[in-house]
Amino acid sequence: MLDKIAVLSVSMLMIGGIGWFFFGKKEKDGKADKTSGDTEKLELNISGMHCAGCVAGIEATLKATDGVISASVNLATSRGVFEYDPSKISKQDIIQKIKDLGYEASEDAESFEKKS
């Protein structure tokens, strides 16, 4: 009888933990994200994406980066729009993060070649 109660208790804790992980309030390092108040938008051409997983990976990585406020990537247009705090991260840092993931990113439409 006690073993069934223990299994039930552990199961409930695991379900609660999973729910908190996916739906809990997101705060970085236990404190609210503070920006200097001056944010900028960066629009990039991104090549090398093949699926929604590519889009999700870029968005998740950039959203988790300090200084990036929002990240939105569109697979169909091969474009990404990023809102960021320039006092914490530069345009080149954002571009480099995308390149580190294995994609090409550029502000310049003329040097952009869609590779998907």
Side-chain angles (χ1 to χ4, degrees), residues 42-46 78-82 91 94-95 98 105-108:
L42 173 62
E43 293 187 32
L44 296 175
N45 297 304
I46 303 170
S78 297
R79 303 223 1 118
V81 179
F82 307 93
K91 289 180 182 181
I94 293 171
I95 292 169
I98 295 168
S106 171
E107 283 186 273
D108 186 12

Side-chain angles (χ1 to χ4, degrees), residues 8-110:
L8 181 62
S9 297
V10 170
S11 299
M12 295 301 289
L13 283 172
M14 289 178 63
I15 291 170
I18 292 168
W20 174 84
F21 178 80
F22 285 108
F23 304 111
K25 185 175 178 185
K26 302 289 184 199
E27 290 184 7
K28 294 181 181 179
D29 300 327
K31 55 187 171 188
D33 187 25
K34 296 178 183 174
T35 61
S36 65
D38 297 325
T39 62
E40 292 184 14
K41 278 196 176 180
L42 173 62
E43 293 187 32
L44 296 175
N45 297 304
I46 303 170
S47 64
M49 299 183 295
H50 298 93
C51 64
C54 297
V55 170
I58 294 170
E59 288 179 347
T61 299
L62 271 292
K63 286 177 183 177
T65 302
D66 190 35
V68 176
I69 296 148
S70 68
S72 176
V73 179
N74 187 314
L75 178 64
T77 62
S78 297
R79 303 223 1 118
V81 179
F82 307 93
E83 185 179 357
Y84 67 100
D85 182 349
S87 69
K88 293 186 176 186
I89 191 166
S90 70
K91 289 180 182 181
Q92 288 304 325
D93 290 336
I94 293 171
I95 292 169
Q96 189 59 49
K97 283 269 188 198
I98 295 168
K99 288 182 177 183
D100 290 346
L101 291 171
Y103 307 98
E104 286 298 317
S106 171
E107 283 186 273
D108 186 12
E110 289 153 13

